[in-house]
Short mmCIF file of all heavy atoms in Angstrom, two decimals:
data_model
loop_
_atom_site.label_atom_id
_atom_site.label_comp_id
_atom_site.label_asym_id
_atom_site.label_seq_id
_atom_site.Cartn_x
_atom_site.Cartn_y
_atom_site.Cartn_z
N MET I 1 0.80 -1.19 0.00
CA MET I 1 0.00 0.00 0.00
C MET I 1 0.86 1.27 0.00
O MET I 1 0.54 2.20 -0.72
CB MET I 1 -0.95 -0.03 1.19
CG MET I 1 -1.95 1.09 1.19
SD MET I 1 -3.21 0.83 2.44
CE MET I 1 -2.78 2.13 3.57
N PRO I 2 1.94 1.35 0.80
CA PRO I 2 2.73 2.56 0.78
C PRO I 2 3.33 2.88 -0.60
O PRO I 2 3.67 4.03 -0.86
CB PRO I 2 3.84 2.31 1.80
CG PRO I 2 3.24 1.35 2.76
CD PRO I 2 2.37 0.46 1.89
N SER I 3 3.44 1.91 -1.46
CA SER I 3 3.99 2.18 -2.80
C SER I 3 3.08 3.11 -3.60
O SER I 3 3.51 3.69 -4.58
CB SER I 3 4.22 0.87 -3.56
OG SER I 3 2.98 0.23 -3.82
N THR I 4 1.83 3.27 -3.16
CA THR I 4 0.91 4.17 -3.85
C THR I 4 0.94 5.58 -3.27
O THR I 4 0.28 6.46 -3.77
CB THR I 4 -0.53 3.64 -3.78
OG1 THR I 4 -0.96 3.63 -2.42
CG2 THR I 4 -0.64 2.24 -4.36
N PHE I 5 1.72 5.80 -2.20
CA PHE I 5 1.80 7.10 -1.54
C PHE I 5 2.95 7.92 -2.10
O PHE I 5 3.94 7.37 -2.57
CB PHE I 5 2.04 6.94 -0.03
CG PHE I 5 0.96 6.24 0.73
CD1 PHE I 5 1.22 5.74 1.99
CD2 PHE I 5 -0.32 6.07 0.22
CE1 PHE I 5 0.24 5.09 2.72
CE2 PHE I 5 -1.30 5.42 0.94
CZ PHE I 5 -1.02 4.94 2.20
N ASP I 6 2.85 9.25 -1.93
CA ASP I 6 3.99 10.09 -2.27
C ASP I 6 5.01 9.97 -1.14
O ASP I 6 4.68 9.52 -0.03
CB ASP I 6 3.56 11.54 -2.50
CG ASP I 6 2.86 12.16 -1.30
OD1 ASP I 6 3.42 12.09 -0.18
OD2 ASP I 6 1.77 12.72 -1.48
N PRO I 7 6.28 10.32 -1.36
CA PRO I 7 7.34 10.11 -0.35
C PRO I 7 7.06 10.75 1.01
O PRO I 7 7.41 10.19 2.05
CB PRO I 7 8.57 10.73 -1.00
CG PRO I 7 8.31 10.64 -2.47
CD PRO I 7 6.82 10.82 -2.63
N GLU I 8 6.42 11.92 1.03
CA GLU I 8 6.14 12.57 2.30
C GLU I 8 5.13 11.77 3.13
O GLU I 8 5.25 11.66 4.33
CB GLU I 8 5.60 13.99 2.08
CG GLU I 8 6.60 14.94 1.46
CD GLU I 8 6.72 14.78 -0.05
OE1 GLU I 8 5.72 14.40 -0.71
OE2 GLU I 8 7.81 15.03 -0.57
N LYS I 9 4.14 11.22 2.44
CA LYS I 9 3.13 10.43 3.15
C LYS I 9 3.73 9.11 3.65
O LYS I 9 3.40 8.66 4.76
CB LYS I 9 1.93 10.15 2.25
CG LYS I 9 0.76 9.53 2.99
CD LYS I 9 -0.50 9.52 2.18
CE LYS I 9 -1.64 8.94 3.00
NZ LYS I 9 -2.90 8.93 2.27
N VAL I 10 4.63 8.51 2.88
CA VAL I 10 5.29 7.28 3.31
C VAL I 10 6.09 7.54 4.59
O VAL I 10 6.06 6.75 5.53
CB VAL I 10 6.20 6.71 2.20
CG1 VAL I 10 7.06 5.58 2.74
CG2 VAL I 10 5.38 6.23 1.03
N ALA I 11 6.80 8.67 4.64
CA ALA I 11 7.64 8.99 5.79
C ALA I 11 6.82 9.13 7.08
O ALA I 11 7.29 8.76 8.15
CB ALA I 11 8.41 10.27 5.52
N GLY I 12 5.60 9.63 6.98
CA GLY I 12 4.78 9.83 8.18
C GLY I 12 3.71 8.79 8.41
O GLY I 12 2.97 8.87 9.39
N PHE I 13 3.63 7.79 7.52
CA PHE I 13 2.56 6.80 7.61
C PHE I 13 2.61 6.07 8.95
O PHE I 13 3.64 5.53 9.34
CB PHE I 13 2.67 5.79 6.46
CG PHE I 13 1.56 4.79 6.42
CD1 PHE I 13 0.27 5.16 6.11
CD2 PHE I 13 1.81 3.46 6.70
CE1 PHE I 13 -0.76 4.24 6.07
CE2 PHE I 13 0.78 2.53 6.66
CZ PHE I 13 -0.50 2.92 6.34
N GLY I 14 1.51 6.07 9.67
CA GLY I 14 1.41 5.37 10.94
C GLY I 14 1.85 6.18 12.15
O GLY I 14 1.67 5.75 13.28
N SER I 15 2.43 7.35 11.93
CA SER I 15 2.95 8.14 13.05
C SER I 15 1.85 8.64 13.98
O SER I 15 2.12 9.01 15.12
CB SER I 15 3.78 9.31 12.54
OG SER I 15 2.99 10.19 11.77
N ASP I 16 0.61 8.66 13.51
CA ASP I 16 -0.50 9.10 14.35
C ASP I 16 -1.12 7.97 15.16
O ASP I 16 -2.07 8.20 15.90
CB ASP I 16 -1.57 9.78 13.50
CG ASP I 16 -2.16 8.89 12.42
OD1 ASP I 16 -1.55 7.83 12.11
OD2 ASP I 16 -3.21 9.23 11.88
N SER I 17 -0.59 6.77 15.06
CA SER I 17 -1.12 5.65 15.84
C SER I 17 -0.55 5.70 17.26
O SER I 17 0.48 6.34 17.49
CB SER I 17 -0.76 4.31 15.18
OG SER I 17 0.60 4.01 15.38
N PRO I 18 -1.19 5.06 18.23
CA PRO I 18 -0.68 5.09 19.61
C PRO I 18 0.76 4.59 19.75
O PRO I 18 1.49 5.06 20.61
CB PRO I 18 -1.65 4.18 20.37
CG PRO I 18 -2.94 4.33 19.63
CD PRO I 18 -2.51 4.41 18.17
N LEU I 19 1.18 3.65 18.90
CA LEU I 19 2.56 3.16 18.97
C LEU I 19 3.52 4.03 18.17
O LEU I 19 4.73 3.83 18.22
CB LEU I 19 2.65 1.72 18.47
CG LEU I 19 2.02 0.67 19.38
CD1 LEU I 19 2.17 -0.73 18.79
CD2 LEU I 19 2.65 0.71 20.76
N GLY I 20 2.98 4.99 17.42
CA GLY I 20 3.83 5.92 16.69
C GLY I 20 4.44 5.38 15.41
O GLY I 20 5.36 5.98 14.86
N ARG I 21 3.95 4.27 14.93
CA ARG I 21 4.47 3.68 13.70
C ARG I 21 3.42 2.79 13.09
O ARG I 21 2.47 2.38 13.75
CB ARG I 21 5.73 2.87 13.96
CG ARG I 21 5.47 1.66 14.88
CD ARG I 21 6.72 0.82 15.07
NE ARG I 21 6.48 -0.31 15.94
CZ ARG I 21 5.89 -1.45 15.59
NH1 ARG I 21 5.45 -1.61 14.36
NH2 ARG I 21 5.73 -2.43 16.45
N ALA I 22 3.59 2.51 11.82
CA ALA I 22 2.69 1.58 11.14
C ALA I 22 3.01 0.16 11.56
O ALA I 22 4.15 -0.16 11.89
CB ALA I 22 2.83 1.73 9.63
N GLY I 23 2.00 -0.68 11.55
CA GLY I 23 2.21 -2.09 11.85
C GLY I 23 2.80 -2.81 10.64
O GLY I 23 2.61 -2.39 9.50
N GLU I 24 3.50 -3.87 10.91
CA GLU I 24 4.08 -4.70 9.86
C GLU I 24 3.20 -5.94 9.65
O GLU I 24 2.58 -6.42 10.61
CB GLU I 24 5.50 -5.13 10.24
CG GLU I 24 6.48 -3.98 10.37
CD GLU I 24 6.72 -3.28 9.04
OE1 GLU I 24 6.68 -3.94 7.99
OE2 GLU I 24 6.94 -2.05 9.06
N PRO I 25 3.13 -6.44 8.43
CA PRO I 25 2.29 -7.61 8.17
C PRO I 25 2.57 -8.79 9.11
O PRO I 25 1.64 -9.45 9.57
CB PRO I 25 2.61 -7.98 6.72
CG PRO I 25 3.04 -6.69 6.10
CD PRO I 25 3.77 -5.96 7.20
N GLU I 26 3.83 -9.02 9.43
CA GLU I 26 4.14 -10.17 10.30
C GLU I 26 3.64 -9.96 11.72
O GLU I 26 3.46 -10.93 12.46
CB GLU I 26 5.64 -10.48 10.30
CG GLU I 26 6.53 -9.36 10.76
CD GLU I 26 7.03 -8.46 9.64
OE1 GLU I 26 6.49 -8.51 8.52
OE2 GLU I 26 7.97 -7.70 9.90
N GLU I 27 3.36 -8.71 12.11
CA GLU I 27 2.81 -8.46 13.43
C GLU I 27 1.34 -8.85 13.50
O GLU I 27 0.84 -9.21 14.57
CB GLU I 27 2.99 -7.00 13.82
CG GLU I 27 4.45 -6.62 14.00
CD GLU I 27 4.65 -5.16 14.26
OE1 GLU I 27 4.19 -4.33 13.44
OE2 GLU I 27 5.28 -4.84 15.29
N CYS I 28 0.64 -8.79 12.41
CA CYS I 28 -0.76 -9.21 12.35
C CYS I 28 -0.89 -10.69 12.01
O CYS I 28 -1.80 -11.36 12.48
CB CYS I 28 -1.51 -8.38 11.31
SG CYS I 28 -1.60 -6.64 11.73
N ALA I 29 0.04 -11.18 11.20
CA ALA I 29 -0.02 -12.57 10.74
C ALA I 29 0.02 -13.56 11.88
O ALA I 29 -0.63 -14.61 11.82
CB ALA I 29 1.12 -12.84 9.76
N THR I 30 0.74 -13.24 12.94
CA THR I 30 0.83 -14.19 14.06
C THR I 30 -0.54 -14.44 14.70
O THR I 30 -0.78 -15.54 15.20
CB THR I 30 1.83 -13.69 15.13
OG1 THR I 30 1.46 -12.36 15.52
CG2 THR I 30 3.24 -13.66 14.58
N CYS I 31 -1.42 -13.45 14.67
CA CYS I 31 -2.78 -13.66 15.19
C CYS I 31 -3.54 -14.66 14.33
O CYS I 31 -4.24 -15.53 14.85
CB CYS I 31 -3.54 -12.34 15.25
SG CYS I 31 -2.90 -11.21 16.48
N PHE I 32 -3.41 -14.53 13.02
CA PHE I 32 -4.08 -15.46 12.13
C PHE I 32 -3.54 -16.86 12.29
O PHE I 32 -4.30 -17.84 12.33
CB PHE I 32 -3.93 -15.01 10.67
CG PHE I 32 -4.68 -13.75 10.36
CD1 PHE I 32 -4.00 -12.55 10.22
CD2 PHE I 32 -6.05 -13.75 10.19
CE1 PHE I 32 -4.67 -11.37 9.93
CE2 PHE I 32 -6.75 -12.59 9.91
CZ PHE I 32 -6.05 -11.40 9.78
N VAL I 33 -2.23 -16.98 12.41
CA VAL I 33 -1.61 -18.29 12.59
C VAL I 33 -2.07 -18.91 13.91
O VAL I 33 -2.40 -20.09 13.96
CB VAL I 33 -0.07 -18.18 12.53
CG1 VAL I 33 0.59 -19.49 12.93
CG2 VAL I 33 0.38 -17.76 11.14
N PHE I 34 -2.11 -18.10 14.96
CA PHE I 34 -2.57 -18.61 16.25
C PHE I 34 -4.00 -19.13 16.16
O PHE I 34 -4.31 -20.23 16.61
CB PHE I 34 -2.47 -17.52 17.32
CG PHE I 34 -3.19 -17.88 18.59
CD1 PHE I 34 -2.72 -18.88 19.43
CD2 PHE I 34 -4.36 -17.22 18.95
CE1 PHE I 34 -3.40 -19.22 20.60
CE2 PHE I 34 -5.04 -17.55 20.11
CZ PHE I 34 -4.55 -18.55 20.93
N LEU I 35 -4.90 -18.33 15.58
CA LEU I 35 -6.30 -18.75 15.50
C LEU I 35 -6.50 -19.98 14.63
O LEU I 35 -7.44 -20.75 14.85
CB LEU I 35 -7.16 -17.59 14.99
CG LEU I 35 -7.32 -16.43 15.97
CD1 LEU I 35 -8.04 -15.27 15.29
CD2 LEU I 35 -8.06 -16.86 17.22
N ALA I 36 -5.61 -20.20 13.69
CA ALA I 36 -5.70 -21.38 12.82
C ALA I 36 -5.01 -22.60 13.42
O ALA I 36 -5.12 -23.69 12.88
CB ALA I 36 -5.09 -21.07 11.46
N SER I 37 -4.34 -22.41 14.55
CA SER I 37 -3.57 -23.50 15.14
C SER I 37 -4.37 -24.24 16.20
O SER I 37 -5.42 -23.79 16.66
CB SER I 37 -2.29 -22.95 15.78
OG SER I 37 -2.58 -22.30 17.00
N ALA I 38 -3.83 -25.36 16.62
CA ALA I 38 -4.44 -26.13 17.70
C ALA I 38 -4.38 -25.38 19.03
O ALA I 38 -5.17 -25.66 19.93
CB ALA I 38 -3.75 -27.48 17.82
N ASP I 39 -3.48 -24.43 19.17
CA ASP I 39 -3.38 -23.65 20.40
C ASP I 39 -4.65 -22.86 20.69
O ASP I 39 -4.92 -22.48 21.82
CB ASP I 39 -2.20 -22.69 20.34
CG ASP I 39 -0.86 -23.41 20.36
OD1 ASP I 39 -0.79 -24.53 20.91
OD2 ASP I 39 0.11 -22.85 19.83
N ALA I 40 -5.43 -22.57 19.65
CA ALA I 40 -6.67 -21.80 19.82
C ALA I 40 -7.90 -22.71 19.86
O ALA I 40 -9.03 -22.22 19.77
CB ALA I 40 -6.81 -20.80 18.68
N SER I 41 -7.70 -23.99 20.06
CA SER I 41 -8.81 -24.94 19.98
C SER I 41 -9.86 -24.75 21.07
O SER I 41 -10.99 -25.18 20.91
CB SER I 41 -8.29 -26.37 20.03
OG SER I 41 -7.69 -26.64 21.28
N TYR I 42 -9.52 -24.08 22.16
CA TYR I 42 -10.48 -23.90 23.25
C TYR I 42 -11.03 -22.47 23.28
O TYR I 42 -11.76 -22.10 24.18
CB TYR I 42 -9.81 -24.24 24.59
CG TYR I 42 -10.80 -24.61 25.68
CD1 TYR I 42 -11.58 -25.76 25.58
CD2 TYR I 42 -10.94 -23.81 26.80
CE1 TYR I 42 -12.49 -26.09 26.57
CE2 TYR I 42 -11.84 -24.14 27.80
CZ TYR I 42 -12.61 -25.28 27.68
OH TYR I 42 -13.50 -25.60 28.67
N MET I 43 -10.71 -21.69 22.28
CA MET I 43 -11.22 -20.31 22.21
C MET I 43 -12.50 -20.28 21.40
O MET I 43 -12.60 -20.91 20.35
CB MET I 43 -10.19 -19.39 21.54
CG MET I 43 -8.96 -19.16 22.36
SD MET I 43 -7.84 -17.98 21.62
CE MET I 43 -8.74 -16.47 21.86
N THR I 44 -13.48 -19.54 21.89
CA THR I 44 -14.72 -19.34 21.14
C THR I 44 -15.16 -17.89 21.30
O THR I 44 -15.06 -17.32 22.38
CB THR I 44 -15.86 -20.24 21.67
OG1 THR I 44 -16.12 -19.91 23.03
CG2 THR I 44 -15.52 -21.71 21.55
N GLY I 45 -15.60 -17.30 20.22
CA GLY I 45 -16.18 -15.97 20.26
C GLY I 45 -15.24 -14.87 20.69
O GLY I 45 -15.69 -13.86 21.22
N GLN I 46 -13.95 -15.03 20.49
CA GLN I 46 -12.99 -14.01 20.88
C GLN I 46 -12.58 -13.18 19.68
O GLN I 46 -12.62 -13.64 18.55
CB GLN I 46 -11.75 -14.65 21.51
CG GLN I 46 -12.05 -15.49 22.73
CD GLN I 46 -12.75 -14.70 23.81
OE1 GLN I 46 -12.32 -13.63 24.20
NE2 GLN I 46 -13.87 -15.23 24.30
N VAL I 47 -12.17 -11.95 19.94
CA VAL I 47 -11.67 -11.07 18.90
C VAL I 47 -10.28 -10.61 19.32
O VAL I 47 -10.10 -10.10 20.43
CB VAL I 47 -12.58 -9.84 18.71
CG1 VAL I 47 -12.00 -8.89 17.69
CG2 VAL I 47 -13.98 -10.27 18.31
N LEU I 48 -9.32 -10.82 18.47
CA LEU I 48 -7.97 -10.31 18.72
C LEU I 48 -7.84 -8.98 17.98
O LEU I 48 -8.34 -8.84 16.86
CB LEU I 48 -6.92 -11.31 18.22
CG LEU I 48 -6.99 -12.70 18.82
CD1 LEU I 48 -5.90 -13.58 18.24
CD2 LEU I 48 -6.87 -12.65 20.33
N HIS I 49 -7.17 -8.04 18.57
CA HIS I 49 -7.05 -6.70 17.98
C HIS I 49 -5.58 -6.35 17.72
O HIS I 49 -4.98 -5.61 18.50
CB HIS I 49 -7.67 -5.66 18.91
CG HIS I 49 -9.13 -5.85 19.15
ND1 HIS I 49 -10.07 -5.39 18.27
CD2 HIS I 49 -9.79 -6.46 20.14
CE1 HIS I 49 -11.28 -5.71 18.73
NE2 HIS I 49 -11.13 -6.37 19.85
N PRO I 50 -5.00 -6.84 16.64
CA PRO I 50 -3.62 -6.47 16.33
C PRO I 50 -3.60 -5.11 15.62
O PRO I 50 -3.36 -5.01 14.42
CB PRO I 50 -3.15 -7.61 15.42
CG PRO I 50 -4.39 -8.02 14.70
CD PRO I 50 -5.50 -7.85 15.70
N ASN I 51 -3.91 -4.04 16.37
CA ASN I 51 -4.10 -2.73 15.75
C ASN I 51 -3.20 -1.65 16.35
O ASN I 51 -3.46 -0.46 16.15
CB ASN I 51 -5.56 -2.32 15.84
CG ASN I 51 -6.07 -2.30 17.27
OD1 ASN I 51 -5.29 -2.28 18.22
ND2 ASN I 51 -7.37 -2.29 17.43
N GLY I 52 -2.20 -2.04 17.11
CA GLY I 52 -1.29 -1.06 17.66
C GLY I 52 -1.90 -0.11 18.67
O GLY I 52 -1.38 0.96 18.93
N GLY I 53 -3.03 -0.47 19.23
CA GLY I 53 -3.68 0.36 20.24
C GLY I 53 -4.73 1.30 19.68
O GLY I 53 -5.36 2.03 20.42
N GLU I 54 -4.89 1.30 18.37
CA GLU I 54 -5.88 2.17 17.73
C GLU I 54 -7.28 1.59 17.96
O GLU I 54 -7.51 0.41 17.77
CB GLU I 54 -5.62 2.24 16.23
CG GLU I 54 -6.45 3.24 15.50
CD GLU I 54 -6.04 4.68 15.73
OE1 GLU I 54 -4.86 4.93 16.07
OE2 GLU I 54 -6.89 5.55 15.60
N ILE I 55 -8.22 2.42 18.39
CA ILE I 55 -9.59 1.98 18.57
C ILE I 55 -10.30 2.08 17.22
O ILE I 55 -10.37 3.15 16.63
CB ILE I 55 -10.33 2.81 19.64
CG1 ILE I 55 -9.65 2.61 20.99
CG2 ILE I 55 -11.80 2.43 19.71
CD1 ILE I 55 -10.18 3.52 22.08
N VAL I 56 -10.79 0.95 16.75
CA VAL I 56 -11.46 0.89 15.45
C VAL I 56 -12.92 0.60 15.69
O VAL I 56 -13.27 -0.34 16.41
CB VAL I 56 -10.82 -0.20 14.57
CG1 VAL I 56 -11.52 -0.28 13.22
CG2 VAL I 56 -9.33 0.06 14.38
N ASN I 57 -13.81 1.38 15.09
CA ASN I 57 -15.25 1.20 15.23
C ASN I 57 -15.69 1.21 16.69
O ASN I 57 -16.56 0.44 17.09
CB ASN I 57 -15.73 -0.10 14.56
CG ASN I 57 -15.51 -0.07 13.08
OD1 ASN I 57 -15.56 0.98 12.46
ND2 ASN I 57 -15.28 -1.22 12.50
N GLY I 58 -15.09 2.07 17.50
CA GLY I 58 -15.41 2.06 18.91
C GLY I 58 -16.16 3.23 19.40
O GLY I 58 -16.56 4.17 18.93
#
């Protein structure tokens, strides 16, 4: 996605998030891997929020 931004926007992308940076795909991917694994076999109706502290739809 950042490849579609101009250089100034790329430099500041994510700086307004609570962690002060954009998230990386591998930081979100671990949630998907966990939920697809046997380690999550006893979880029901849970929502994981790999969003860097940003409140979405809240």
Side-chain angles (χ1 to χ4, degrees):
M1 187 170 111
S3 65
T4 64
F5 297 163
D6 58 52
E8 294 81 29
K9 189 168 182 179
V10 170
F13 184 68
S15 62
D16 60 344
S17 74
L19 290 180
R21 63 177 180 80
E24 296 294 328
E26 59 268 15
E27 293 175 305
C28 296
T30 54
C31 291
F32 292 104
V33 171
F34 168 70
L35 291 173
S37 75
D39 291 334
S41 65
Y42 203 65
M43 291 185 71
T44 61
Q46 301 302 309
V47 177
L48 302 180
H49 298 277
N51 57 17
E54 188 74 25
I55 297 173
V56 179
N57 296 329

